[in-house]
Amino acid sequence: MPNQKPYRPNVGIALFNTEGRVLIGHRFKGDGPEIILPGLDWQMPQGGVDDGENLRDAAMRELWEETSVTSAAYLGETDWLTYEFPPYDGPQTHRLAKFRGQRQKWFALRFTGKDDEIDPLTPRNGQPAEFDAWRWERLDRVADVVVPFRREVYQAVAQQFAAFAN
């Protein structure tokens, strides 16, 4: 029987520094169906879109909530991409349990600030920290350090944003 649950609207952010590398964060815990696996616990910032929220505004909000970064300039965006959550046997009251996966629009942004602006540990906007560390990584290597259920989306993002990685 096919999964009839909807996809959760979501934005992802590929934040490029001046060397063409992207910011990735180390997830220190799973979140319901959004599991992490040892050695595959890095990802780019991403998050849900509020009802009626402009997608570019959602990307900037999520970037700030997860990293404190506000110094970023728009470069481009993808079409919608989707991924399925892995099977989830946890509480069906979890905020993500009502979704089959995520429907994402990815935004490429150029970081215009300094590295000391990046702070993934301080909670912002009432949201708990998702990352306990961060680093700059080559875009074409990020798919190798994410959980397998996100890998195809990350490969598509790397292909579509390759011009910004130079």
Side-chain angles (χ1 to χ4, degrees):
M1 180 168 150
N3 187 339
Q4 299 300 313
K5 294 179 181 180
Y7 287 103
R8 177 180 182 232
N10 193 276
V11 291
I13 300 99
L15 182 70
F16 290 88
N17 69 7
T18 56
E19 286 89 42
R21 294 181 183 257
V22 291
L23 178 100
I24 59 173
H26 180 261
R27 287 192 67 156
F28 61 92
K29 62 184 169 108
D31 183 16
E34 288 277 271
I35 62 165
I36 58 170
L37 299 170
L40 302 173
D41 38 14
W42 292 87
Q43 71 177 61
M44 290 183 276
Q46 67 174 57
V49 178
D50 296 333
D51 286 340
E53 188 175 24
N54 173 283
L55 295 175
R56 211 182 286 189
D57 292 343
M60 293 303 294
R61 176 186 50 77
E62 283 294 335
L63 179 63
W64 172 73
E65 284 177 359
E66 294 185 4
T67 68
S68 84
V69 169
T70 58
S71 303
Y74 176 84
L75 295 171
E77 61 194 73
T78 66
D79 290 330
W80 288 100
L81 303 167
T82 59
Y83 68 81
E84 307 277 329
F85 290 140
Y88 178 63
D89 295 328
Q92 293 307 298
T93 54
H94 189 281
R95 66 185 172 76
L96 297 177
K98 62 185 174 188
F99 300 105
R100 70 188 291 179
Q102 306 220 65
R103 181 175 184 251
Q104 298 181 307
K105 183 168 282 271
W106 281 82
F107 291 84
L109 304 174
R110 178 73 63 203
F111 183 49
T112 59
K114 304 269 189 241
D115 282 4
D116 61 3
E117 179 179 346
I118 302 167
D119 170 20
L121 293 172
T122 302
R124 282 170 283 283
N125 218 18
Q127 300 298 313
E130 291 187 32
F131 304 131
D132 63 0
W134 67 274
R135 73 178 196 238
W136 296 109
E137 182 57 80
R138 280 184 26 188
L139 180 63
D140 62 352
R141 290 187 181 165
V142 179
D144 296 333
V145 296
V146 301
V147 288
F149 63 90
R150 287 196 183 119
R151 193 160 289 145
E152 196 172 302
V153 166
Y154 272 61
Q155 290 166 339
V157 168
Q159 183 178 28
Q160 292 182 44
F161 290 164
F164 305 125
N166 297 324

